Each structure stands twice: as structure tokens, then as C-alpha cells.
């Protein structure tokens, strides 16, 4: 009997891990690549946002990414989702799901 119980416990664990992974990564692709995200923000976001630590000034009232990362409500998955829609005052950058996930992963490193 204890063997069976172990097995059930194992299955429960694995399926909850899978559920978590599916929730965090809505589409596909195993990696959320913060390095790629940094490249993307330096291309797309740097003109308005403070995107990292070595940039002193941004040109607009857009919130610095470090501020966004430190927000207690910060959630990388939500941020990635938010970025799929252009925000007001921002050009529509047509980012893919992978790109928004990478950007969110990068911003998460600024905490
Ligand atoms: C043309 C200027 C501009 C560019 C480019 C831009 N943003 Fe923004 N962004 C803003 C402004 C301005 C705000 C402040 C919110 C507002 O007034 O709409 C903002 C707000 C945000 C917010 C916070 C939203 C909130 O309410 O917490 C996030 C996250 C964000 N931008 C991410 C990005 C990312 C990631 C990129 C690059 C892929 C980017 N932005 C590029 C101007 C820009």
C-alpha cells in the first residue's frame, strides 16, 4: 500500500508542476531568455524608458523598468501579456509572445 500512496503523491506533484509551467508560459517554448530581453528593450524601449542601470536619463515620463520590477504587484507573466497590446503613448511594436516573455524576464532581473 505505501508504494501506491507514493505513486499517487508523485503523480500529484508532477501534474501540479506541469500546470504551473503551462500557466507561466501560455504558449510554447521552454525558455524565457532575459539576455534576449535586454537586447530587445535596448532596441525598442530605450527611447522612452530607463531600461537598465547604466542609462542615466530617459526622454519621457515613462516609468523606469527598475521601478516597474520593484512594484509589489510585479508579475512577469502579466507583464508579458500586457506587452502584447501596445500601451497608450507607445508605438505598436508588434512583439511576439516569445519576445514579450523575454522582455518580462529581463525586467524581472532588475528587482
Ligand atoms: C514612445 C515611448 C515609449 C516606448 C518606445 C515604450 N514605452 Fe512603455 N510607456 C511609455 C509611457 C509614456 C508610459 C507611461 C504610461 C502611459 O502614460 O501610458 C509607459 C508605460 C510602460 C509600462 C508600465 C505600464 C503600467 O501602467 O505599469 C510598461 C511595463 C512599459 N511601458 C513597457 C514598455 C516596454 C517593454 C517597451 C519596449 C518594448 C516600451 N514600454 C516602450 C512610453 C513608451
Amino acid at each position: 500500500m505505501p508504494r501506491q500512496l507514493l505513486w499517487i503523491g508523485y503523480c500529484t506533484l508532477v501534474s501540479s508542476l506541469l500546470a504551473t509551467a503551462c500557466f507561466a508560459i501560455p504558449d510554447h517554448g521552454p525558455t524565457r531568455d532575459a539576455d534576449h530581453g535586454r537586447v530587445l528593450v535596448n532596441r525598442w524601449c530605450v527611447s522612452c524608458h530607463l531600461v537598465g542601470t547604466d542609462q542615466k536619463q530617459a526622454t519621457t515620463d515613462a516609468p523606469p523598468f527598475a521601478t516597474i520590477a520593484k512594484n509589489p504587484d510585479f508579475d512577469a507573466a502579466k507583464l508579458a501579456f500586457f506587452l502584447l497590446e501596445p500601451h497608450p503613448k507607445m508605438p505598436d511594436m508588434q512583439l511576439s509572445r516569445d519576445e514579450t516573455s523575454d522582455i518580462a524576464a529581463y525586467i524581472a532581473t532588475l528587482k
Side-chain angles (χ1 to χ4, degrees), residues 44-45 48-49 62-63 65 68 79 83 87-91 93 103:
W44 293 108
C45 324
C48 300
H49 290 272
F65 286 173
I68 293 169
L79 179 65
L83 290 173
H87 44 287
K89 300 187 191 168
M90 245 181 75
M93 293 165 284
I103 289 170

Side-chain angles (χ1 to χ4, degrees), residues 31-99:
T31 55
R32 283 177 286 164
D33 184 346
D35 284 338
H36 184 223
R38 186 177 33 197
V39 172
L40 290 170
V41 301
N42 276 300
R43 185 182 312 154
W44 293 108
C45 324
V46 75
S47 54
C48 300
H49 290 272
L50 279 174
V51 300
T53 42
D54 47 0
Q55 180 193 1
K56 297 284 177 271
Q57 241 182 345
T59 47
T60 66
D61 53 355
F65 286 173
T67 306
I68 293 169
K70 289 187 178 97
N71 186 325
D73 291 337
F74 177 81
D75 181 285
K78 261 194 240 160
L79 179 65
F81 194 70
F82 164 83
L83 290 173
L84 288 176
E85 297 287 326
H87 44 287
K89 300 187 191 168
M90 245 181 75
D92 182 357
M93 293 165 284
Q94 308 267 357
L95 297 166
S96 73
R97 266 167 192 264
D98 285 346
E99 287 169 333

